[in-house]
Amino acid sequence: MADIKGRLRQVLVESLDLRREPDTIPDTNLVAELGLDSINTIEFLIWVESEFGIEIADEDLSVDLIDDLSRLAAYVEQRSQQTVAN
Amino acid sequence: MASKSRVIAIITEGATPQLLDRWTAEGRLPNFARLLTEGTRGDLVADGVPYEPPGLVSLLTGQPPGEHGVFSYWSCHTPEYRPRVENGESSRHPLLWRLPDLKGVRFASVGLFGTHPPAPMDGWVVSYPMQLTLRACYPPGLHRELAGHGIAPTHDTAIWWHGQAKESFVPDVLEADRRRGAAALLLYGKGADVVLVNLTSIDRLSHIYWQELELGPEHTADSAVFAAYQTADRVIGDALDRADEQTTVLAFSEIGFGPLRSYCAVNDDLADAGLLVRNTDGAGNTTVDWSATTAFEAVQGTHGVNINLRGRYQQGTVAPQDYHKVRADVAEQLAAVINPRTGRPMFAAVSPSEEIYQGAAVTEAPDLILEPADWRYLPLGDQTWAKKVHRTWQSAWHRRESYWALAGPATARANAVAAPVDITATLVHLLGRDVPATLPGKPLTA
């Protein structure tokens, strides 16, 4: 899980062109901390799909999913396992 | 005509001829002026009720609304009375790039309603999703590719107006159009034979900020609507600059625009006539009693009224054998409605849908179509979706009259009056192809 969170931090920095080091990104409250909105969230999650080789379903798109890095990492892990199983 | 002819078609959605003429004459839109000077122009008149979905799907299929069956962003009839979101699978006719007659033509389509979900094709699509999605591009890697050029697609559903300050809304709307224009030209550079790009900011900002134009011409430079026209103007300029000698640049809008004073709830008129019954609970919430209702407003933007037909609706009250008589009675009642704001008739005509739309899909249209007597006062429409888009806050709505203009190697009939299907036929003709017999449009270039 820690590895996934580390990769997610890196993707956040690259996809949103953030001027900060990945390890300075906190685990929680990402929407307020990074100024995430419906535009850059889409951008970030498309990069997440590409980075992890998963598909994020439209019905799973929510503020809750991207506001908490642990929750998003768990989701990525679950989708990765589903992808492997399929 | 050379077989390698290409087309860049730019939809300046909502552009109205009066503003185009005024601002080009004042030198404010130099690239529109270039297009008009170097090429030819004429009027475009929408079929039936002027609304983006029927117009765009007509462009994409070459068929009129009565044939393709898309009259709104939402379906007009569902058994449970709740309009369902329409998409590219709602049309009864294939998109242009699926026509056998156009095999071998590489299309690129950016931001047109009616193209979502994007399906595999010999070309590129940035669709127009009606919800947040990560799957609005074909090929799937197109989003990342465009992002790599700093022009990641942003969809209108991600830029929602909820009453926020102009400064925090308008720039995002304009930026979305700038990116659409840039993406279209990038795909032109990758070899698309036909590039279709829909710029939506004129429409979106005209709905919300039209009242700024009524402050007087000295406020034009600061108006959001003018900023949208300027954005479209830059896209047209870029296209004219990039187009080679075999490429035609075609600009048009499927709808025009004009002022709005108020939406008027036709359901109130139907209730006054005893044709619609409402229940109110203890908390003051009002709902329609479908089991006692004869007629009700169709989804917003269709200017339609539906008959509560048994078999079509879960609680239909009108027997099929009574349909035509009941519809005629409802039409008669509505024709007599007076607009309390003007003291004049509310509607110039109340027509059976088959008098407005012709084709195999006319049953998808509302049963009656209302022609406003004064287009500043328009039918409110079903409220299921209207509240989500803050419809009652708008200060302008569509008009039928808009424009087309083209410049390039082909010549068109100046001042010809076009329907949306004529634009499709023109695209095909500009490619050097015969217009398929199944398409009813007439090329402006013939």
Side-chain angles (χ1 to χ4, degrees), chain A residues 38-39 43 46 49-50 56 58, chain B residues 133 135 143-144 147 152 154 158:
Chain A
S38 50
I39 297 173
E43 198 62 34
I46 283 177
E49 282 192 334
S50 181
I56 300 172
D58 290 348
Chain B
T133 180
R135 261 157 285 286
H143 185 109
R144 286 288 297 269
T154 50

Side-chain angles (χ1 to χ4, degrees), chain B residues 38 47 67 72 80 102 120 136 140 151 170 213 267 281 283 299 307 309 314 321 374 379-380 384 414:
Chain B
E38 295 175 13
D47 296 309
E67 285 291 345
S72 168
E80 63 279 9
L102 296 182
I151 50 174
V170 171
L213 301 177
N267 274 352
D281 65 18
V299 68
I307 303 301
L309 183 64
Q314 286 175 345
Q321 64 269 25
D374 181 335
L380 177 62
T384 304

